[in-house]
């Protein structure tokens, strides 16, 4: 494995529910390092750019409205195989399908309010880090 960076975002539902510390603890407990972190309110433009691949899909408008509905925690996380490690730790996109012990499995409510966003590849991580941490 190689040392890499990835982008993670704790979504508005988890921020509002006070899950930030518990989620960060899980990341750190696996040996991942948080290099940058910021509590922020996303702009419509940032949300649209981040989820551009979903434009035109039935859930796109509600996704954008949701992600800008409250503060999020943006993070740059590094470690050995960080992208894959974070995806495994987060669990399946739909919390109903996420394994117990994963972040989404333990804290997620619905596929729409699924606690976290994480880069799905090194290329996505690079793009998202540049988008959210200029």
């Amino acid at each position: 494995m190689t040392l890499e960076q990835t982008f993670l975002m704790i979504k508005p539902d988890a921020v509002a529910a006070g899950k930030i510390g518990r989620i960060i603890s899980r990341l750190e407990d696996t040996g991942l390092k948080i290099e940058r972190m910021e509590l922020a309110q996303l702009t419509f433009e940032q949300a649209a750019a981040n989820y551009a691949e979903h434009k035109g899909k039935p859930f796109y408008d509600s996704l954008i409205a949701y992600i800008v509905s409250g503060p999020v925690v943006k993070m740059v996380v590094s470690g050995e195989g960080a992208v894959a490690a974070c995806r495994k730790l987060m669990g399946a996109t739909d919390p109903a399908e996420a394994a117990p012990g994963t972040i989404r499995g333990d804290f997620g409510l619905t596929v729409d309010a699924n606690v976290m966003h994480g880069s799905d590849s090194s290329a996505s991580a690079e793009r998202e880090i540049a988008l959210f941490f200029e």
Side-chain angles (χ1 to χ4, degrees):
M1 294 243 167
T2 59
L3 187 66
E4 65 183 356
Q5 289 184 323
T6 192
F7 174 77
L8 295 178
M9 178 171 45
I10 302 175
K11 294 181 177 180
D13 59 302
V15 172
K19 303 297 183 194
I20 297 168
R22 293 173 71 187
I23 291 169
I24 289 170
S25 290
R26 288 190 184 201
L27 295 169
E28 292 180 325
D29 287 348
T30 63
L32 294 162
K33 180 181 175 190
I34 297 171
E35 293 187 10
R36 295 183 71 180
M37 183 168 58
E38 179 182 320
L39 180 69
Q41 180 74 42
L42 297 187
T43 66
F44 176 83
E45 292 77 18
Q46 287 174 315
N50 192 55
Y51 293 109
E53 71 272 14
H54 298 304
K55 190 167 181 139
K57 294 180 182 175
F59 60 85
Y60 177 78
D61 290 339
S62 63
L63 172 62
I64 299 300
Y66 160 68
I67 207 68
V68 301
S69 69
V72 299
V73 176
K74 309 178 299 182
M75 294 179 277
V76 177
V77 176
S78 66
E80 292 291 321
V83 172
C86 287
R87 305 268 324 153
K88 182 178 180 182
L89 187 60
M90 286 189 310
T93 301
D94 184 345
E97 298 173 5
T102 64
I103 292 169
R104 289 176 176 150
D106 292 349
F107 302 127
L109 302 174
T110 67
V111 71
D112 296 327
N114 67 358
V115 181
M116 290 195 79
H117 165 85
S119 300
D120 61 4
S121 67
S122 293
S124 291
E126 189 174 316
R127 179 184 63 80
E128 292 172 337
I129 290 167
L131 175 65
F132 293 110
F133 292 100
E134 300 173 19

